[in-house]
Amino acid sequence: DMHDEVQAKLQKAIGVELARLAGEVDTGADDFVTAATRALEPLRRAQELNPRAGTKTKVGQLEKAIKAALAVKEQAGTAG
C-alpha cells in the first residue's frame, strides 16, 4: 500500500504523460478523444487522492480539448 500523496504523484505522472502523448495526435481524430479520455482517469484519481495534487488545470484543459474535438467531429458529420 502506498500513501495517498505518493499514489497521487504517481497517478499525476501517468496522466501527464498520457496527456502529452494525446497532444501528439491530431485533435480532429477519434484517436485524440480516446487518448485524452484515457489521460483523464489517472489525473482525476490523483485529484481524488490528494486535492492539492495540482491536476485541476490539466483536467480542465483536456476536457476542453475533448469537447472541441467532438464538436469538430460533429460538424464534419453534419456537413458531409
Side-chain angles (χ1 to χ4, degrees), residues 10-25:
L10 176 62
Q11 292 296 318
K12 179 182 177 180
I14 292 168
V16 167
E17 181 61 18
L18 289 172
R20 184 189 66 77
L21 292 171
E24 293 179 1
V25 178

Side-chain angles (χ1 to χ4, degrees), residues 7 9 16 18-19 22 25-27 31 33 37 40-41 43 49 51 53-54 59 61 63-65 73:
Q7 181 68 19
K9 287 181 182 182
V16 167
L18 289 172
V25 178
D26 178 23
T27 56
D31 292 340
V33 174
T37 303
L40 280 174
E41 185 178 329
L43 290 171
L49 290 168
V59 168
Q61 291 170 343
E63 288 174 341
K64 185 177 178 181
K73 181 181 174 185

Side-chain angles (χ1 to χ4, degrees), residues 23 32 40 47 49 55 58 68-69 75:
F32 170 77
L40 280 174
Q47 185 71 27
L49 290 168
T55 59
K58 187 55 112 176
Q75 280 184 339

